[in-house]
Amino acid sequence: MSLVPLLELSGLSVRFPAEPRPVRALDGVELELLPSERLVLVGESGSGKSTLLWKIAGLLPEEAEVTGSCRFPALGRAPVPGRDVGLVLQDPFTSLNPVLSVGEQIGEVLVTHRSASWSAARQAAVVLLRRVGIPEPERRVDDPPHRFSGGQRQRIAIAIAIAAGPRLLLADEPTSGLDTVVQAQILDLLDGLVREQGAALLLVTHDLAVASRIADRIAVLYAGTLVECGPAVRILSDPRHPYSSALVAIARALEAGRIDALATVRASPGEPEAAARGCPFAPRCAFAFARCRVERPAWSGDRRAGVACHLAVP
Amino acid sequence: MTGASSLLEVADLTKRWPGAGAPAVDAVSFAIGAGERVALVGASGSGKTTLARLVLRLLEPDRGTIRFSGRDFLALRGEALRRTRAELQLVFQDPLAALDPRRRIGAQLADPLRAHGLVPRAERPAAVGALLARVGLDPALAGRFPHELSGGQRQRVAIARALASRPRLLVLDEPVAQLDVSVKAQILALLDRLHREEKLAWLWITHDLGSARIASERILVMDAGRIVEEGPTAEVLARPRAAATRALLAAELRLPPSDRVDQPLTAPSVSPRTM
Amino acid sequence: MSPALARFARDRAALVAAFLLLGLALAAAAAPLLWPVDPDAVGGPPLLRPFLDPAHPLGTDRLGRDVLARLLHGARLSLTVAVAAAAASSVLGAAVGLAAGLVGGRIDDLLMRITDAFQTVPGFLLALAFVSVFGPDARSVVLAIAASAWTGPARLIRAEIVALRGRDFVLAAIVAGLPRRDVALRVLLPNALPPVVAYAAVSVASAVLIEAALSFLGLADPNRASWGAMIAEGRAVLVSEPWLSILPGLALLSTVLAVNLVGEGLNEALAPRRARP
């Protein structure tokens, strides 16, 4: 394939200065995303998945030490946040501005990035609200966020994120604050919108079931390192890294209501953190052997698929 | 499971918030037998959490009765209420919010031991250590503050605190909803073990049918303040009758069946360029 | 070192301010030893400028009294009155706020209406009225300041208690079977107190100012050296001998600034820590 990737991460590492020693949030991540591809980053707390998303969105705090590269080859320039990259956050109760009407918040994006007039922006806001499934948008465009339910607010946040027609939509746990029924609706909405707009989607979640609903490809992060990446169907049916396979096993056990199948990952000794040497997952891995504790497994594969495990067949 | 053998019997329980139209909890009746595991499921806003707070008497109902261990729970006042609380405990959704940020873990675990006069002062540190060990934690964590623990460790501490007064019924309000998947699995396994060891009954509140499947024999489905369906968990989820149950099932996110092997197995583009 | 103390120590400005205040307090306490000169005795020529005579390093005032001795003794009065007033207003305010927040209902309404009534009268006017009725000695100045300043902590602690009452960990303590008294004193109070402590520190600053203002107006004990009174006396010769007002003014300014910085530092240090996201 000769498609130029939209996003290309190469040896991306991020450290935060902290006492008593710096926190290594990401370590040597290799990843690419093609235009209109849907990639889901799966990881638990402390895996660095949010740090990765923030880096791509240009939201990392000043003090973060970044090495490696994060480029947008298909764009040919640095992305303009809000125009080329849209962002949907986890909590729709705090991500919207409580004092502006939802129409103004959507319109603001169009006025800023698409040089629209305010009256045109308001018209466009009505269209966008309808597209994200808000009933009677003409009547509700001037309402403030608190007049909407949690699920509706997340729809509005999505309308803001896609308003300027970004090439890449980033979503950080967009459904984890919502209940089951709304969760599925929001994922289907995101899925439909990126298809319509031909945008790429990078969604972060800790829930494999969420990933399975929307992903073309899945990348699994553990303690700041990419442990496995590949086509969603393959990861879900034939995971090669012990951590991914434990996640899949747990998700299936929960679905089946089988308590006996749950104990596949050892308790974490604390917050996971990138080890200086050896495999970061080794302390919790059921299959770890001597080499795992002294030698960090190299990434075998490329920026689209691969695994980092001494046991995995590349 | 109803009748004289029930541990908890709730009848016609109703609570309307001031200014609200429909009641948050509307004439709800159900019973939980000793050692029985019951799930209460429903979408957000269906009244699950209000019902839990009513059952624990953290809220007073407008109408209805609650019988716990054969006693009229709503008639209890002051010291009698405080004593009875030992048998009826609560685990919250967000363990960080449920623990006092300014007190060490050990002091918070000692609260129920002291309040119910279960363990003399000199033996409390050992008893706290034993509680921590029972939920799979290092007794040395007693000296830590809640913010120094991971999410899973905090929920274990909250469970240990709930178990300290040897309750007969546990109300769990979305106890695993905020936890990572692998931690969630560990907490589910821990609670399952405790249920078997202690003959613990519980009311497990959740919007997630996965944990309801694992954590209950019987299920109550709540919608708009009412219980709309009730029965053995496996049966209700296999043959749902109420619209609310069907909606919950339809919205459940599931992995594709594992036997499906229609894989485009290799990566779509292993381009030499990227190597 | 406790975590809160460690966080306070990391705040440079607050740390410097705390040492400055400590130094000032020690100097004030040890004034008779450090500079054994009677602040009220006429010990030299009047209006001697600073840095000219080693016997009077900061010069003398219109009556020939030693300015350094008067500043040090003024610090004694200012700091004692201010700390006592801040402590009194915090204790009174905390008691009222705790009662209102815990009992609720009609008692809450009554206490809060009384608080409102006190708050509608400007604090300084209240203090003025108080001193003019009870006389200008140090104790009535303390009471006057406390009477006008207790409403702040009262409202603050009531608001904290009301907000805390519905929090999960407070419900958890009730469910755990803690007696009401333990819920109030072991769980609610420690969590409600830190903002009040920080507020008390800041209210020391305003007490210093009120005390100075009362002295400036001649409403404090005329027989004791005080910064406010020194500024007032210096006013008569402000144009020709400005240092007589500037020196106590600088003392006042740096004290108030230091107290505020310490208060800010405490506020930051005592905020409950939350885990990193």
Side-chain angles (χ1 to χ4, degrees):
Chain A
M1 270 165 84
S2 59
L3 266 174
V4 180
L6 177 64
L7 173 71
E8 193 179 85
L9 308 178
S10 179
L12 186 69
S13 301
V14 176
R15 292 201 315 170
F16 293 103
E19 296 293 329
R21 62 206 140 82
V23 176
R24 191 183 294 224
L26 280 178
D27 194 10
V29 172
E30 299 280 338
L31 208 55
E32 74 171 30
L33 184 62
L34 297 177
S36 72
E37 191 177 27
R38 293 163 303 166
L39 174 67
V40 174
L41 280 176
V42 175
E44 300 186 293
S45 38
S47 63
K49 59 189 193 299
S50 294
T51 305
L52 183 54
L53 199 80
W54 289 4
K55 170 60 197 154
I56 297 165
L59 291 175
L60 276 188
E62 293 264 317
E63 74 264 22
E65 297 160 18
V66 181
T67 54
S69 73
C70 166
R71 301 188 304 121
F72 291 77
L75 223 52
R77 56 179 166 79
V80 178
R83 187 174 81 192
D84 302 314
V85 180
L87 177 63
V88 181
L89 295 170
Q90 175 177 351
D91 187 352
F93 290 86
T94 56
S95 68
L96 297 177
N97 183 339
V99 299
L100 291 183
S101 76
V102 300
E104 283 171 310
Q105 295 185 56
I106 299 170
E108 199 170 38
V109 180
L110 294 164
V111 171
T112 312
H113 294 302
R114 293 285 174 237
S115 317
S117 68
W118 275 103
S119 61
R122 190 172 178 282
Q123 291 304 311
V126 171
V127 174
L128 278 162
L129 284 174
R130 182 172 297 120
R131 249 176 97 191
V132 297
I134 301 289
E136 300 182 76
E138 296 86 355
R139 203 171 58 77
R140 309 221 49 195
V141 65
D142 297 320
D143 281 352
H146 68 83
R147 297 269 179 83
F148 296 87
S149 71
Q152 285 180 326
R153 280 185 232 197
Q154 197 60 299
R155 289 170 187 271
I156 292 161
I158 291 170
I160 295 171
I162 61 161
R167 302 283 302 274
L168 173 61
L169 186 61
L170 303 173
D172 190 1
E173 299 266 13
T175 61
S176 61
L178 307 169
D179 80 45
T180 323
V181 176
V182 185
Q183 207 173 33
Q185 293 166 355
I186 294 290
L187 286 175
D188 292 347
L189 172 68
L190 277 173
D191 190 46
L193 288 172
V194 292
R195 276 174 200 278
E196 270 173 48
Q197 295 207 332
L201 174 72
L202 183 67
L203 185 143
V204 158
T205 180
H206 68 274
D207 187 349
L208 269 183
V210 167
S212 74
R213 182 92 170 199
I214 200 167
D216 296 324
R217 275 194 308 136
I218 291 177
V220 183
L221 277 169
Y222 184 83
T225 55
L226 196 57
V227 295
E228 186 165 7
C229 178
V233 184
R234 206 271 293 147
I235 299 261
L236 294 173
S237 59
D238 178 25
R240 288 170 193 168
H241 195 280
Y243 179 62
S244 342
S245 83
L247 288 181
V248 173
I250 291 168
R252 294 207 183 281
L254 284 174
E255 274 179 10
R258 286 182 48 215
I259 190 86
D260 53 312
L262 281 182
T264 45
V265 186
R266 285 184 204 161
S268 155
E271 298 289 335
E273 194 169 313
R277 57 198 205 124
C279 171
F281 187 59
R284 295 175 69 190
C285 182
F287 309 103
F289 57 107
R291 190 180 165 203
C292 301
R293 291 183 192 93
V294 292
E295 184 192 332
R296 167 161 287 207
W299 180 252
S300 60
D302 53 25
R303 293 197 191 100
R304 301 197 53 78
V307 60
C309 177
H310 292 310
L311 283 170
V313 189
Chain B
M1 269 295 178
T2 49
S5 69
S6 291
L7 178 61
L8 177 78
E9 257 179 89
V10 169
D12 195 31
L13 207 61
T14 301
K15 174 78 183 179
R16 189 192 300 265
W17 293 112
V25 171
D26 192 358
V28 164
S29 303
F30 66 93
I32 299 178
E36 194 189 14
R37 301 177 306 154
V38 175
L40 175 64
V41 301
S44 58
S46 58
K48 302 181 303 251
T49 295
T50 308
L51 179 57
R53 305 244 153 144
L54 288 171
V55 166
L56 290 155
R57 275 199 72 189
L58 292 170
L59 279 178
E60 295 296 319
D62 299 336
R63 201 177 70 218
T65 56
I66 302 174
R67 294 190 72 76
F68 181 68
S69 292
R71 280 162 294 181
D72 180 355
F73 192 49
L74 290 174
L76 296 179
R77 295 276 175 270
E79 191 60 11
L81 173 62
R82 196 180 71 74
R83 288 276 158 205
T84 309
R85 288 199 188 282
E87 298 176 47
L88 180 60
Q89 284 294 308
L90 168 67
V91 176
F92 290 88
Q93 172 170 7
D94 178 0
L96 185 58
L99 296 169
D100 187 338
R102 293 184 190 279
R103 296 167 68 215
R104 291 177 201 277
I105 299 301
Q108 302 195 47
L109 286 177
D111 277 348
L113 302 177
R114 197 186 63 232
H116 298 296
L118 295 169
V119 179
R121 177 186 282 269
E123 292 162 32
R124 268 182 224 144
V128 164
L131 275 173
L132 285 168
R134 208 154 117 219
V135 295
L137 290 177
D138 180 354
L141 291 185
R144 303 271 192 90
F145 286 97
H147 69 87
E148 297 173 309
L149 270 52
S150 71
Q153 289 174 324
R154 283 183 212 127
Q155 195 58 299
R156 285 172 192 265
V157 169
I159 291 168
R161 177 175 58 188
L163 293 177
S165 58
R166 303 191 195 108
R168 302 177 63 199
L169 178 68
L170 219 51
V171 175
L172 304 117
D173 189 359
E174 301 273 13
V176 295
Q178 292 206 345
L179 303 174
D180 282 327
V181 185
S182 66
V183 181
K184 184 172 170 174
Q186 290 158 13
I187 297 291
L188 284 166
L190 167 70
L191 284 165
D192 181 68
R193 193 192 83 211
L194 294 170
H195 160 72
R196 281 184 280 109
E197 288 172 3
E198 322 248 338
K199 304 273 172 288
L200 203 58
W202 66 50
L203 180 66
W204 184 295
I205 296 166
T206 182
H207 67 254
D208 161 32
L209 297 179
S211 46
R213 273 189 197 96
I214 284 193
S216 71
E217 287 100 42
R218 207 151 56 80
I219 194 166
L220 311 170
V221 183
M222 210 167 168
D223 184 35
R226 291 171 167 274
I227 290 182
V228 293
E229 184 160 8
E230 177 177 1
T233 306
E235 210 169 283
V236 167
L237 295 183
R239 283 177 292 281
R241 294 187 316 262
T245 320
R246 283 200 292 269
L248 284 172
L249 275 163
E252 200 184 10
L253 297 173
R254 305 188 67 130
L255 300 190
S258 54
D259 52 16
R260 205 177 87 187
V261 198
D262 52 352
Q263 310 158 345
L265 256 185
T266 45
S269 67
V270 186
S271 54
R273 177 175 46 79
T274 56
M275 291 307 284
Chain C
M1 194 151 63
S2 84
L5 203 59
R7 283 196 296 274
F8 184 82
R10 241 174 276 140
D11 182 346
R12 284 288 159 74
L15 199 64
V16 169
F19 275 112
L20 195 127
L21 278 183
L22 194 69
L24 187 67
L26 284 176
L33 300 172
L34 276 176
W35 189 245
V37 173
D38 184 347
D40 299 319
V42 177
L47 296 177
L48 182 66
R49 295 201 169 167
F51 313 122
L52 293 178
D53 181 354
H56 303 286
L58 293 181
T60 58
D61 68 2
R62 283 195 299 160
L63 300 177
R65 295 177 296 192
D66 184 71
V67 170
L68 178 59
R70 289 184 72 74
L71 271 182
L72 286 174
H73 284 265
R76 290 180 97 162
L77 183 69
S78 293
L79 290 181
T80 323
V81 166
V83 169
S89 67
S90 300
V91 170
L92 179 65
V96 171
L98 195 61
L102 284 180
V103 181
R106 237 175 263 166
I107 300 281
D108 181 18
D109 284 343
L110 180 70
L111 289 173
M112 282 303 109
R113 291 302 82 76
I114 295 174
T115 313
D116 287 345
F118 268 86
Q119 242 174 353
T120 51
V121 184
F124 188 65
L125 277 187
L126 201 65
L128 267 184
F130 208 92
V131 174
S132 47
V133 173
F134 293 98
D137 66 330
R139 191 176 311 154
S140 62
V141 172
V142 168
L143 289 178
I145 297 173
S148 67
W150 65 272
T151 54
R155 293 190 150 277
L156 202 56
I157 207 157
R158 178 189 170 272
E160 288 286 322
I161 298 272
V162 168
L164 284 167
R165 265 194 324 206
R167 295 271 296 274
D168 283 359
F169 68 89
V170 178
L171 297 181
I174 295 170
V175 171
L178 284 198
R180 281 178 66 119
R181 187 191 38 141
D182 282 7
V183 174
L185 297 182
R186 281 171 180 262
V187 181
L188 287 171
L189 191 61
N191 279 288
L193 217 44
V196 179
V197 170
Y199 186 91
V202 176
S203 77
V204 168
S206 78
V208 168
L209 283 175
I210 295 181
E211 190 275 335
L214 288 172
S215 309
F216 180 86
L217 295 177
L219 289 168
D221 190 345
N223 301 319
R224 293 185 64 179
S226 127
W227 292 345
M230 288 172 76
I231 296 174
E233 287 161 18
R235 205 174 39 148
V237 287
L238 188 63
V239 178
S240 56
E241 314 292 344
W243 79 87
L244 278 180
S245 298
I246 289 173
L247 286 174
L250 279 179
L252 194 61
L253 179 74
S254 46
T255 306
V256 170
L257 192 64
V259 169
N260 271 317
L261 286 172
V262 170
E264 281 290 310
L266 278 178
N267 201 13
E268 285 294 312
L270 292 173
R273 290 295 110 173
R274 309 227 78 182
R276 271 187 296 123

